[in-house]
Amino acid sequence: EVQLVESGGRLVKPGGSLRLSCAASGFTFSTYSMNWVRQAPGKGLEWVSSISTSSTYIYYTDSVKGRFTISRDNAKSSLFLQMNSLRAEDTAVYYCAKSAITVTDFDYWGQGTLVTVSS
Amino acid sequence: QTVVTQEPSLTVSPGGTVTLTCASSTGAVTSGNSPNWFQQRPGQAPRALIYSTSNKHSWTPARFSGSLLGGKAALTLSDVQPEDEAEYYCLLYYGDAQYWMFGGGTKLTVL
């Protein structure tokens, strides 16, 4: 059974940093691209970042470029999101989502971790 | 800035049929945008329903189907059930600039 478990979300002050983790199991992690998607309270879904199997290809939405860094550790079946210079508008539930065999498609999602940016 | 537009809300009767659409501000949605559809119930994580325009996941009920319709991606629900009441999101891929964009979501009410 595919499982994605996010962790690391908490209350952080504006300008602060946070590192989110996503522990994957139930599939061969190293052979699938992975993604982060966020959802602000009461709002819709927003794609944040994607990373290819060997970390060769990395993409970000414009609003987080230069502040967030996606990475992965295939040996530990883990996905990460380093978030720096956090702003109030980064407040959201952050979901880890697995890409399907076709890298443009998403299939499995974690339950999310809440990041709150507030003074 | 690309905008992906969905109907904000739709209402359907139990047993009825409803079609949700997903339009792109850049022009017609094509199979190259690899439209995905997701269902999200209150307090839950999104669940994938359709990928690559019209393909169903192993867990997707048969009453859900995806297509391209008049330059938009479409999700059709047939024989709608009360448990289909949820928010539905489309996701489009833009390969020229390597990014993905979600639609704003459609709140489906079964009444």
Side-chain angles (χ1 to χ4, degrees):
Chain A
E1 179 196 3
V2 172
Q3 284 201 322
L4 298 169
V5 180
E6 302 92 336
S7 61
R10 62 173 174 86
L11 174 64
V12 61
K13 288 182 167 48
S17 297
L18 207 54
R19 189 191 197 210
L20 304 184
S21 300
C22 171
S25 61
F27 65 100
T28 306
F29 181 77
S30 61
T31 62
Y32 291 91
S33 294
M34 296 294 295
N35 312 277
W36 288 101
V37 175
R38 68 184 178 184
Q39 186 170 36
K43 303 295 185 183
L45 300 173
E46 180 185 22
W47 169 75
V48 174
S49 182
S50 296
I51 186 168
S52 62
T53 55
S54 301
S55 305
T56 303
Y57 302 103
I58 288 176
Y59 309 109
Y60 300 99
T61 191
D62 285 347
S63 62
V64 309
K65 282 179 184 174
R67 300 188 300 122
F68 290 10
T69 302
I70 190 173
S71 62
R72 62 190 296 162
D73 183 335
N74 287 340
K76 295 183 178 178
S77 296
S78 294
L79 176 71
F80 306 102
L81 187 67
Q82 177 66 42
M83 309 163 67
N84 298 331
S85 303
L86 282 161
R87 306 167 180 165
E89 53 265 36
D90 296 318
T91 294
V93 173
Y94 284 73
Y95 295 102
C96 163
K98 172 185 166 292
S99 290
I101 287 289
T102 43
V103 298
T104 55
D105 302 310
F106 297 0
D107 51 16
Y108 292 92
W109 294 62
Q111 286 302 304
T113 187
L114 176 63
V115 173
T116 303
V117 184
S118 174
S119 54
Chain B
Q1 175 74 357
T2 304
V3 177
V4 176
T5 302
Q6 298 181 241
E7 297 85 1
S9 63
L10 291 170
T11 300
V12 61
S13 300
T17 297
V18 65
T19 296
L20 289 63
T21 66
C22 174
S24 173
S25 63
T26 63
V29 175
T30 70
S31 58
N33 294 116
S34 193
N36 279 227
W37 289 93
F38 304 92
Q39 178 192 66
Q40 187 178 35
R41 297 188 175 110
Q44 295 186 12
R47 179 177 76 134
L49 293 173
I50 299 289
Y51 67 98
S52 295
T53 305
S54 58
N55 295 283
K56 298 178 189 181
H57 294 281
S58 59
W59 55 83
T60 303
R63 61 183 182 275
F64 290 85
S65 63
S67 63
L68 294 176
L69 206 59
K72 300 179 183 180
L75 175 69
T76 299
L77 287 72
S78 306
D79 187 26
V80 171
Q81 302 298 303
E83 60 265 30
D84 296 335
E85 185 163 291
E87 192 87 22
Y88 291 84
Y89 294 93
C90 67
L91 174 66
L92 299 180
Y93 171 67
Y94 294 87
D96 52 349
Q98 301 289 359
Y99 66 95
W100 286 258
M101 188 72 69
F102 283 94
T106 295
K107 181 175 173 57
L108 183 67
T109 300
V110 181
L111 205 56

